[in-house]
Amino acid sequence: MNASPTPKIATAAANLRAVAGSLESIADAVRTDAAAATEVVRQLEDTAGETALLATALATAAAQIEHAVAAQAALLRDVARNTGDSLAMVEALAQAGQGIDSMSATIGAIAGRGRMLALNARIEAARAGAVGRGFDVVAHEMGALAQSTLAATRDIEDRTGTIERGVTATRTAFEGVNSAVENERRLIGDIVAAIEEQKGIAAEVARLTDTTRAEISSSAEAIGRVSTSAAAVGVLARQVKRTAAALEAAASD
């Protein structure tokens, strides 16, 4: 009774062993792929962590630059204010110099008239003879005073000219400072715009990093499930092998 079914049992056992071998091969391949995927996920996690640190450093650097730029802008405002105040003083000094120039011209004109009067007085004193000697002394003193006044007037004019040249040079220097301050302000505006863009990039990198981490976590969970399935396939393969062995033992009885 046992002779006829034995070949069928042996064939079934062989098929089961083949199935078990295939299952083990599949389980090994899945475990290998899962291990490789796990390594990739680990590397991705490391990369995501480094990217997060980079985004944080980028945001910190942007904040520090923004603070420094704000301090520089405040300094430039102070420079511009002080320059404006100094320029106003220079303008006042220029007006004062013009006033001195005007007074010097007036004094020079008076001195010139004094010389003319002194000359006329000496002429009249010479005509008067002995009677006009007193007038001649007075006329001489008036001429000397007029001459001294003219010399002082020229000295004032020279000094006024020096002051005016200094005022002009100072005004030019202040205008150059104002131009430099304006250029610096424009540059700071460009830097602030770049900082805002940098901060936006840092925020976007941080957001993408969080998304990547979430996706990596999901991938790790999926890989864990695959590994568990591979282990279950391995267990099933061993069970199939045991069944095949039992069939072969039954076939040999």
Side-chain angles (χ1 to χ4, degrees):
M1 303 252 333
N2 293 333
S4 58
T6 299
K8 293 183 178 181
I9 293 175
T11 301
N15 290 336
L16 286 174
R17 281 187 178 278
V19 171
S22 298
L23 289 174
E24 285 183 339
S25 297
I26 293 171
D28 290 340
V30 170
R31 277 194 294 270
T32 300
D33 291 342
T38 300
E39 179 61 22
V40 171
V41 167
R42 186 189 66 76
Q43 292 176 357
L44 287 174
E45 285 179 341
D46 293 342
T47 302
E50 293 173 358
T51 304
L53 291 176
L54 178 61
T56 301
L58 191 63
T60 301
Q64 291 174 346
I65 295 173
E66 188 175 25
H67 178 73
V69 168
Q72 180 69 11
L75 179 61
L76 286 176
R77 285 194 296 272
D78 291 340
V79 170
R81 183 174 60 252
N82 293 334
T83 301
D85 294 342
S86 299
L87 191 57
M89 294 174 62
V90 168
E91 293 298 335
L93 184 60
Q95 292 178 2
Q98 292 172 358
I100 294 173
D101 237 357
S102 176
M103 287 188 294
S104 175
T106 301
I107 293 172
I110 293 173
R113 291 177 63 187
R115 288 182 65 185
M116 292 299 298
L117 289 173
L119 179 61
N120 290 333
R122 294 183 69 177
I123 292 173
E124 293 299 326
R127 288 178 179 175
V131 178
R133 288 177 182 172
F135 291 103
D136 184 60
V137 172
V138 173
H140 178 75
E141 292 297 327
M142 287 180 62
L145 178 61
Q147 189 65 31
S148 298
T149 303
L150 284 173
T153 300
R154 293 191 188 96
D155 183 60
I156 290 172
E157 288 174 349
D158 290 340
R159 294 177 185 275
T160 303
T162 301
I163 292 172
E164 288 177 349
R165 288 190 294 273
V167 167
T168 300
T170 304
R171 183 188 294 115
T172 302
F174 278 131
E175 289 173 352
V177 170
N178 281 335
S179 177
V181 168
E182 289 302 318
N183 290 335
E184 190 71 13
R185 281 179 173 174
R186 285 193 292 271
L187 178 61
I188 286 177
D190 294 339
I191 293 173
V192 169
I195 288 172
E196 291 300 323
E197 183 177 359
Q198 186 178 11
K199 288 168 68 177
I201 292 172
E204 181 64 14
V205 169
R207 187 189 66 79
L208 292 175
T209 300
D210 290 339
T211 302
T212 302
R213 280 182 167 174
E215 292 175 351
I216 289 172
S217 179
S218 298
S219 298
E221 291 176 359
I223 290 170
R225 290 192 295 270
V226 170
S227 297
T228 301
S229 298
V233 170
V235 171
L236 178 60
R238 288 192 293 274
Q239 290 175 351
V240 170
K241 277 186 174 181
R242 286 196 295 271
T243 302
L247 287 173
E248 287 177 344
S252 63
D253 290 340

